[in-house]
Amino acid sequence: MARALDVVGERWALLVIRELTLIPQRFSELRHALPNASSNLLADRLRELEHHGVIRRRKLAPTAGPQVYELTEWGRKLEPIVLGLSEWGIDAPHPPEPTSLSATSVLNFLRIGAHPDPAAPPIVCRLDLDGSVWTVSVDSGKVEVRTGEPTTADISLRTDPKTLGSLLANPASLDSALTEGTVALVGDLQALNHLLSLYGATA
């Protein structure tokens, strides 16, 4: 444990790893996801994690284009640990407002926060979150999240991470979110009800 904390125990290191569990990200995207971490602090964590072989840098195109950070195979082994720590932290006291919520953090909650229900119908949701498209699928009550467009979808939802987090916590807020324009909804409302029911509530 002490050797592991020497590698990932510095402040913000595990949050950087959390942000990279689903997709590689640019430095600017990590800064947006972790607004309370200064640019210098984030650069330090990235440099340290890269030095230890937890993450690596890669160019999106062989000769040019933006550079992204991604988990190495060894770094990828931290994913169940990060998700387990996130699940444990659900019951921790909430920080005072205002708080930030990254897309990755709410997507990971979709993965770990559901109560499996084998009787739940299969559902495919197209989720447009902060301008990136994700596929959220339910099969035998288990939720899977992956990047990219679904082939077909029962429902399409466009929103921001904080609004989605609020909706999962309080589905009754859907009407006001639709009125305010913070949520755009197309498709089968019943499918959304079934999806939210996996988190202990219905719209």
Side-chain angles (χ1 to χ4, degrees), residues 102-121:
S102 73
T104 303
S105 59
V106 74
L107 288 166
N108 277 336
F109 177 75
L110 282 170
R111 299 167 70 192
I112 66 174
H115 306 293
D117 178 9

Side-chain angles (χ1 to χ4, degrees), residues 85-163:
L85 188 59
S86 300
E87 188 170 12
W88 178 81
I90 289 173
D91 295 326
H94 286 209
E97 294 288 343
T99 58
S100 61
L101 187 65
S102 73
T104 303
S105 59
V106 74
L107 288 166
N108 277 336
F109 177 75
L110 282 170
R111 299 167 70 192
I112 66 174
H115 306 293
D117 178 9
I123 302 164
V124 178
C125 174
R126 180 190 185 275
L127 177 61
D128 185 334
L129 198 61
D130 266 2
S132 295
V133 176
W134 300 84
T135 297
V136 180
S137 57
V138 179
D139 187 7
S140 299
K142 296 180 180 178
V143 178
E144 178 184 347
V145 177
R146 61 176 176 81
T147 185
E149 295 273 358
T151 305
T152 60
D154 302 296
I155 196 163
S156 179
L157 193 66
R158 177 173 52 80
T159 188
D160 61 87
K162 192 164 187 178
T163 300

Side-chain angles (χ1 to χ4, degrees), residues 56-78:
R56 61 179 164 239
R57 283 177 285 179
R58 174 173 61 85
K59 285 190 174 182
L60 293 180
T63 57
Q67 180 177 260
V68 295
Y69 293 89
E70 63 185 2
L71 294 174
T72 62
E73 289 185 17
W74 189 49
R76 180 65 60 189
K77 293 179 181 179
L78 283 165

Side-chain angles (χ1 to χ4, degrees), residues 10-20 25-50 55 57 69:
E10 291 292 335
R11 182 172 174 80
W12 299 102
L14 285 175
L15 292 180
V16 169
I17 293 165
R18 179 199 69 190
E19 290 303 314
L20 298 177
Q25 297 199 43
R26 304 173 192 174
F27 184 87
S28 60
E29 292 169 329
L30 291 168
R31 277 286 289 126
H32 176 73
L34 303 169
N36 294 324
S38 69
S39 294
N40 288 341
L41 189 152
L42 179 58
D44 287 343
R45 291 298 87 82
L46 291 168
R47 185 165 49 249
E48 291 162 2
L49 291 169
E50 185 178 14
I55 66 173
R57 283 177 285 179
Y69 293 89

